Amino acid sequence: MPSWLHGPATWQLNACLALWLAGPGNLPLWQALQGGGGPGLILTLFAMVASASFALLSLLTWPGVHRGMGSLLVLAAAVSSHFMWTYGVVIDPTMMANVLGTDAREAGDLLSLRLVATVTALSAPALWWLWRAPVRLAALHRQAGRNLAGLMVGLLLAVVAALAGYQGLASLMRNQKTVRYMINPLNTVYALGRLAADRLPAQGRTLEPVGEDARLGASYTGQARPPLLVLVIGETARADRFGLNGYGRPTTPVLMDWQRERGLVNFPAVAACGTSTEVSLPCIFSPLTREQGGDDRPRHENLLDVLQRAGLAVLWLDNQSGCKGVCDRVPHASTRTLDDPRWCAGGECHDEAMLAGLDERLAALEPDRRARGVVLVLHQMGSHGPAYARRTPPDFQPFGLACRSQTLSDCSADGLRDAYDNTIAYTDRFLGRTLDWLAARQPGFDTGLLYVSDHGESLGENGLYLHGMPYALAPRQQTHVPMVMWLSAGLQWRLGASPSCLRARAMQVLSHDHVFHSVLGLLDVETTAHDPALDLLSGCRGRGSRGRTGIMAAIPASLPPS
């Protein structure tokens, strides 16, 4: 056997690893470019990826570090390749934030034998080569010089390749913008670096206060009943799969009954702030619009802080992987502490578990705040994929036994459709039970509900699955979300709200930007943080809650549900 196999120089080892990363480590990239670029363009991009990978490996060539970091890069490329193949995703900072924010329960949904097989087949040859032969490393000062030389050579070769094929590359990046997020493992390195740059400076930073002047409006003066608003944050629900929005299947029969008979208002044209829970959830509660930076790492307090500062009781109930910091400063609880055999099995609770014991939770809130008004936030598991079949109780399969595979590309189109539509129908049932609970509380409260999903989901359209695409590139299926609102007769009277006006507003193009200001309007919380232009009730208050004194005392103690 040639002697260099027993102890290759570091540059030789790095060159071989760089070629592996550019070739087998990027098979999804080359597959995506088939037919989209000539051999010259592919060769140019291959040379750039190999040269940049060589430069990166040169930076990591230190005693005790080189093999470990090299192995991580190889595994990152293999794992990314699996998810690109299986779900059509790309690796950008948003997707990386999703990965880092995923809990063990969600991660388990993504594990499969195919993942193990793909990662093993792709990474084993490179890892074997990396670990079998002793590497000759020099003293630190000499190794530093070699690393710097390798870095410069790699960058120079990458620049030369880019200049040589500039015209083709420029056209490729304009026409196939996702390509930049498919280059393994540089996409992972970039995403981690971008997240670190965004998040580390924020560690320990105090959030800027919002609504320090918040106070309860005139409708609270002499009120006969406090308001009780339930804000339901849905998960991964697509607007185009709601029967309310014209979908061909009866996925929302309960909500349609409430719309027809009891005044529920549907909002068919609502845009999400992001394509992932990590982005959308804080953005929904942010005082900033998306254009103002509401989709960035939170720098301000949120809606719940303002409501609590105004004197209302606030409670967050979570059936998800957490509130992403939104509920940190208000009372909150999670279904993970529940041991209810009716709704919880296999380490996961169905959404109806959040309604169990809700009266006791309500009674446990601070009495003075509860007497003024209550805001309950229910954070659903909803339609979270890829294990859609686990999101509904075993006895609730309105569209038949659906595909149970977590590798969605293995599901037939009909099987995947059934699995996802079952979750939407279950959300309909959950919302119906929540509305029933609210209607039964009307003798003691003026009740209302606002439901909105955090983002949508791709179900195989154009080869894409799940969510988390860069917002500028995301398909409509990931950004068009459902939203509904119901106000009891008592809450309508309290606000002087015109249902016909609200139904007219529902036909407008709306977004998550409206939630913060609309909730303030629904609860008659006065603050300079409130923007009437983004309040769905603005202009729909016939009598107007502002300036009224003692009017609630004249309202009957019991109103019929509506």
Side-chain angles (χ1 to χ4, degrees):
M1 183 177 293
S3 60
W4 63 272
L5 283 176
H6 295 282
T10 54
W11 74 267
Q12 293 173 320
L13 184 55
N14 287 342
C16 290
L17 283 178
L19 290 172
W20 181 90
L21 290 170
N26 272 285
L27 288 178
L29 172 64
W30 308 128
Q31 186 177 36
L33 291 179
Q34 284 183 355
L41 176 60
I42 293 178
L43 182 61
T44 296
L45 192 56
F46 179 90
M48 287 181 60
V49 175
S51 299
S53 298
F54 180 79
L56 176 61
L57 288 165
S58 297
L59 277 177
L60 303 175
T61 306
W62 301 100
V65 173
H66 181 250
R67 280 177 167 158
M69 295 304 296
S71 299
L72 286 177
L73 293 177
V74 168
L75 291 171
V79 171
S80 296
S81 293
H82 165 78
F83 286 106
M84 289 180 192
W85 270 325
T86 305
Y87 301 113
V89 301
V90 295
I91 309 301
D92 73 323
T94 299
M95 184 61 69
M96 188 56 62
N98 291 340
V99 172
L100 297 178
T102 297
D103 62 8
R105 179 175 56 180
E106 293 177 350
D109 289 344
L110 297 169
L111 298 178
S112 66
L113 291 177
R114 177 176 292 187
L115 169 63
V116 175
T118 301
V119 171
T120 300
L122 281 178
S123 64
L127 293 176
W128 174 82
W129 163 250
L130 179 61
W131 286 91
R132 74 170 299 274
V135 179
R136 300 194 299 268
L137 291 172
L140 286 179
H141 68 282
R142 293 182 60 192
Q143 191 62 50
R146 294 178 180 180
N147 292 357
L148 180 60
L151 172 66
M152 298 305 295
V153 168
L155 293 178
L156 179 61
L157 291 175
V159 170
V160 169
L163 292 176
Y166 174 77
Q167 187 172 356
L169 285 172
S171 176
L172 175 67
M173 295 303 172
R174 282 195 304 269
N175 298 324
Q176 298 189 48
K177 296 181 180 179
T178 57
V179 164
R180 70 192 69 181
Y181 302 116
M182 296 182 68
I183 301 174
N184 291 324
L186 304 179
N187 49 5
T188 300
V189 174
Y190 168 76
L192 287 171
R194 177 71 179 273
L195 281 180
D198 289 344
R199 295 187 175 189
L200 290 179
Q203 296 297 318
R205 184 173 63 190
T206 302
L207 295 175
E208 296 180 27
V210 173
E212 292 183 292
D213 60 342
R215 63 187 182 88
L216 301 178
S219 64
Y220 291 84
T221 303
Q223 65 179 358
R225 293 175 298 275
L228 168 58
L229 179 68
V230 173
L231 179 55
V232 180
I233 305 300
E235 172 65 38
T236 321
R238 284 170 49 158
D240 65 358
R241 292 302 178 95
F242 264 49
L244 280 170
N245 293 324
Y247 185 47
R249 277 181 156 182
T251 53
T252 55
V254 178
L255 292 180
M256 292 176 78
D257 284 344
W258 276 79
Q259 181 188 46
R260 183 171 51 252
E261 300 174 5
R262 306 183 75 173
L264 180 136
V265 178
N266 178 50
F267 300 85
V270 179
C273 186
T275 61
S276 68
T277 305
E278 190 77 19
V279 173
S280 286
L281 190 58
C283 191
I284 289 172
F285 291 85
S286 172
L288 304 179
T289 65
R290 186 177 185 278
E291 287 70 23
Q292 293 169 338
D295 59 339
D296 293 335
R297 192 73 177 168
R299 304 186 306 274
H300 299 79
E301 293 178 341
N302 62 61
L303 173 63
L304 302 186
D305 296 298
V306 179
L307 299 176
Q308 186 166 254
R309 183 172 289 124
L312 298 173
V314 180
L315 175 63
W316 179 290
L317 295 180
D318 205 284
N319 193 35
Q320 254 277 1
S321 59
C323 67
K324 313 305 179 187
V326 175
C327 66
D328 286 354
R329 295 168 299 282
V330 302
H332 54 275
S334 171
T335 58
R336 295 185 183 188
T337 62
L338 297 180
D339 184 21
D340 190 333
R342 294 174 299 170
W343 310 116
C344 304
E348 177 178 324
C349 293
H350 296 298
D351 287 328
E352 287 172 286
M354 290 188 286
L355 302 179
L358 201 51
D359 286 314
E360 291 77 9
R361 294 186 187 277
L362 196 66
L365 295 172
E366 186 179 335
D368 289 345
R369 289 182 175 274
R370 187 179 68 242
R372 298 186 195 103
V374 179
V375 181
L376 298 177
V377 185
L378 307 181
H379 186 200
Q380 285 186 269
M381 177 59 80
S383 303
H384 196 288
Y388 303 120
R390 294 184 60 191
R391 306 289 94 93
T392 62
D395 60 349
F396 187 79
Q397 306 284 332
F399 301 107
L401 294 177
C403 178
R404 304 192 66 85
S405 175
Q406 294 166 204
T407 304
L408 300 183
S409 56
D410 288 346
C411 295
S412 68
D414 288 342
L416 181 56
R417 181 190 186 202
D418 292 345
Y420 184 81
D421 287 355
N422 282 340
T423 69
I424 298 297
Y426 182 62
T427 286
D428 177 67
R429 185 172 98 169
F430 168 70
L431 291 175
R433 286 201 60 204
T434 306
L435 286 165
D436 288 339
W437 180 83
L438 279 170
R441 303 288 153 324
Q442 284 186 80
F445 292 94
D446 292 327
T447 59
L449 177 141
L450 177 62
Y451 161 84
V452 65
S453 183
D454 59 352
H455 55 78
E457 187 85 322
S458 288
L459 297 171
E461 299 88 357
N462 300 315
L464 293 178
Y465 296 90
L466 303 181
H467 53 268
M469 287 290 287
Y471 197 87
L473 308 176
R476 181 172 172 80
Q477 291 86 355
Q478 295 189 27
T479 59
H480 183 203
V481 295
M483 186 167 81
V484 300
M485 180 189 293
W486 175 79
L487 308 179
S488 69
L491 192 56
Q492 290 178 37
W493 180 274
R494 178 190 192 93
L495 298 170
S498 164
S500 60
C501 176
L502 192 57
R503 286 192 291 271
R505 288 294 302 274
M507 294 300 103
Q508 299 177 8
V509 176
L510 305 170
S511 73
H512 280 164
D513 295 342
H514 291 79
V515 174
F516 178 96
H517 306 279
S518 298
V519 171
L520 291 179
L522 281 168
L523 293 165
D524 191 18
V525 173
E526 298 180 346
T527 169
T528 54
H530 176 249
D531 183 353
L534 294 173
D535 182 352
L536 293 172
L537 273 75
S538 183
C540 291
R541 296 181 177 90
R543 292 176 298 277
S545 62
R546 310 280 187 222
R548 291 190 288 119
T549 303
I551 193 171
M552 298 309 296
I555 302 176
S558 177
L559 285 168
S562 66

